[in-house]
Amino acid sequence: MKNQNQRLGLHMLHRFVFLAALALGVNAQAQTVIESVTASVQGGTEVVRIDLSKALAAVPTGFSIQSPARIALDFPGVTSAVGRSNIDINQGNLKSASVVQAGERTRVVLNLKYPTAYTAEIQGKSLLVVLETVSPSTPAATVASTFAESRSRDSAPLKDLDFRRTTDGAGRVVVTLPNNQVGVDIRQQGQTLVVDFMKSTLPEGMRRRLDVTDFGTPIKSVTTTQTGDRVRMVIEPAGQWEHSAYQSDEQFVIEVKEIKIDPKKLTQGVGYTGQKLSLNFQNIEVRSLLQVIADFTNFNIVTSDSVSGSVTLRLQDVPWDQALDIILQAKGLGLRKSGNVLWVAPKDEIAAKEKLDLESVVAVQGLEPLRTQSFQINYAKAEEIAAYFRADGGGEKGAARILSTRGSVIAEKRTNQLFVTDIPSKLEQIQVLIAKLDIAVRQVLIEARIVEATDTFGKSLGVKLGGYDARAKSGGDGGYQINGDNRVAFGASYANVTKTSDGLVEGRIVSSGPGGEFLTMPAVVNYPALSSPAQFAVSIFNASANRFLNLEISALEADGKGKVVSSPRVVTADQVQAIIEQGEELPYQVASASGATSIAFRKANLKLEVTPQITPEGSIILKLDVTKDTVGRLTTAGFAIDTKHIKTEVLVENGGTVVIGGIYAETTKEDETRVPLLGELPVVGNLFKTKARSTSKTELLVFITPKLISDRGATR
């Protein structure tokens, strides 16, 4: 019985193996197989022939790479029977072909010498790949790039044409196609870009030349015309530029940006820096397209189950990271990178997962045990540092809380320490923050020089003319008598005179003497010089007639110069206000509503108020308020205050000097007082007028010199 069961088991096993082998044979017969890859030149054109066991249902999708020059074709559901992965050809522009099978997909890679465009068509059981001829001296940028052949036999009008300027200064031409089946051919001719839209028409409203020079992009103009059964667009850029083109469904975009050369950078350009590739797909699934990007970049891409849909995409010479960004934006997807793994999912799904992760972190923090750690504060005050960690953010509205919801902080004034209780991760953050806050504040020496210079000049000329009748005076013969000491006596009065040979008396008559009536001479013309002038007088009298005539000329010329230099200086910390002042306070009475009076004081002083701010490069921003007040003239209400005030904010280099303000005033004054008519007579008129001329110049300059203090000697 036991042997019979064993024979039955062996029979069943043999039957299972036979059925499995039969199934594998049937599957092998049903699978399409690549049998050979050959190359030939037909009429000067290189043709790559890929022979298969069965005819393909559609032309396989592919993409091209500029550097190194390659063309890759993907055959889904096809296996390889070539027997080797690398096939050496070395014919024309084709160096070799690589056939690599990965799962149920086989990729054929054509390794080229120079980048070129290609077309693929199915001919029986073979796929013919026709390479366009490229001269080795022809730049790759001048090769015409056909995005796709038009699959529509009927012409359709373009929907819209728009021009935009990107944030990085590039020019972007956006064309809305009638459908995603329109063939587009883009090529560079000299310094222009020519774009042909196959089987398309141009509405009358779009047949124009757009002058876009004012947008500040490399593109200067865009001209669109109808040429046969196609629409031709000519883009004229200027300077050094590069272009990229891509299509997302019905929207075709051409972007031209300036080539910026930075000698300090090893890789030129900004933004996208990935290796350039070209893609041409019609209604390809997003998941398959992401797999193509992954194969090209050697990144591992993890795609969420919710990623679905298809896209029509045509990219020409676009960095792979920009191509990936375009794909994600077109389908509303997001990307997260971890090492060499890329996770692609809808943006809402990524946001929900990140929110869940954050909530998990918060939940863990609520269960994590607390620790207490002390921090010694060296330069700052413990109370001020603690204010930043509390919920109120140091009293500032809207400040963020640094401690966790379970954390607390205590500031100890006597030892200037902080005692913080919180979870370990928060304590590490606080330790880093304290190391940045508790540092010695740099100090600044600010020196001001206030220079006041005055220059005054005055000139005055005057005259005084008078006479005296001595006949009515008593003494002697009723007139005068000359004594031996040359004095003229009138009774008890006398005057100093000098008697000449002709009987005239010259000199200045001085009313002086002990007692009696003094001799005075009433002035007929009295216009003396101002202030305290120098005087010269001539007196003439007639001895027989007892009459005197007096002429007095006064003149003044004064010249004065003065300079006052005030130099306050103060030392303060960075961003800390400092005030220094010197002067006096003047009392004055203040009356209250009840009628009582009290004494108040007003300052008349020199004051420097400054707040420095040290910039990262070592310069100093000064917020200054300089006042120079002095006691002025006396009024009925008290002394006036002469005020000189400057308030400003300046940026000064360390150790530099800047003039923050200056006042220059010049006053010129001319006065003339005269007797009407007589004072206008030439020459003689000077006896009947007085002249005065004065000039006053004042100048105020304020100099500021800040210095960073690196040692104690800087303050000396």
Side-chain angles (χ1 to χ4, degrees), residues 549-589:
L549 180 63
N550 182 53
L551 174 63
E552 182 177 312
I553 299 175
S554 58
L556 170 68
E557 184 171 313
D559 189 3
K561 295 183 179 180
K563 182 171 70 172
V564 179
V565 179
S566 304
S567 182
R569 60 174 62 184
V570 65
V571 177
T572 183
D574 184 22
Q575 301 189 40
V576 177
Q577 185 186 56
I579 299 176
I580 184 172
E581 58 182 341
Q582 178 188 14
E584 57 183 328
E585 293 187 356
L586 302 178
Y588 62 95
Q589 288 187 348

Side-chain angles (χ1 to χ4, degrees), residues 224-298:
T224 311
T225 57
Q226 182 75 47
T227 305
D229 62 345
R230 64 179 62 184
V231 175
R232 172 161 295 180
M233 176 185 295
V234 179
I235 302 174
E236 298 181 7
Q240 294 184 348
W241 51 273
E242 61 181 358
H243 77 281
S244 61
Y246 59 89
Q247 179 182 345
S248 177
D249 292 333
E250 296 181 357
Q251 192 175 71
F252 183 79
V253 179
I254 307 167
E255 191 171 295
V256 179
K257 63 174 60 178
E258 180 184 2
I259 299 178
K260 298 180 180 180
I261 300 177
D262 187 356
K264 298 181 180 179
K265 295 181 62 177
L266 297 177
T267 303
Q268 300 299 329
V270 295
Y272 303 107
T273 58
Q275 189 177 5
K276 292 185 177 181
L277 55 77
S278 299
L279 300 175
N280 181 4
F281 295 109
Q282 295 285 339
N283 293 324
I284 185 175
E285 291 186 358
V286 176
R287 302 173 69 91
S288 300
L289 188 56
L290 292 175
Q291 185 61 42
V292 172
I293 299 292
D295 294 339
F296 177 76
T297 60
N298 293 325

Side-chain angles (χ1 to χ4, degrees), residues 37 55 150 230 237 291 327 380 439 460 478 490 497 506 560 628 662 699:
V37 178
S150 177
R230 64 179 62 184
Q291 185 61 42
I327 296 170
I439 59 176
S460 179
F490 299 92
V497 297
E506 297 178 350
K628 181 68 168 63
E699 186 173 9

Side-chain angles (χ1 to χ4, degrees), residues 31 46 179 193 246 254 435 471 487 549 565 576 601 643 659 694:
Q31 187 84 19
E46 296 181 54
N179 52 66
L193 277 177
Y246 59 89
I254 307 167
R471 292 175 297 176
R487 292 189 177 186
L549 180 63
V565 179
V576 177
F601 293 88
T643 300
V659 181
S694 62

Side-chain angles (χ1 to χ4, degrees), residues 429-503:
Q429 296 178 13
I430 292 172
Q431 185 174 4
V432 173
L433 184 59
I434 289 178
K436 295 182 179 180
L437 293 176
D438 187 27
I439 59 176
V441 180
R442 290 186 290 179
Q443 294 181 321
V444 185
L445 168 65
I446 300 101
E447 182 178 0
R449 288 184 179 270
I450 305 172
V451 181
E452 298 176 90
T454 59
D455 186 357
T456 59
F457 176 79
K459 187 175 182 180
S460 179
L461 180 65
V463 65
K464 186 175 182 182
L465 182 62
Y468 183 77
D469 188 355
R471 292 175 297 176
K473 298 296 179 181
S474 59
D477 56 357
Y480 66 92
Q481 61 182 9
I482 300 177
N483 300 327
D485 56 356
N486 291 330
R487 292 189 177 186
V488 180
F490 299 92
S493 301
Y494 56 88
N496 292 327
V497 297
T498 300
K499 184 178 179 181
T500 62
S501 59
D502 56 358

Side-chain angles (χ1 to χ4, degrees), residues 522-534:
V524 179
V525 178
N526 187 15
Y527 290 110
L530 302 177
S531 187
S532 301

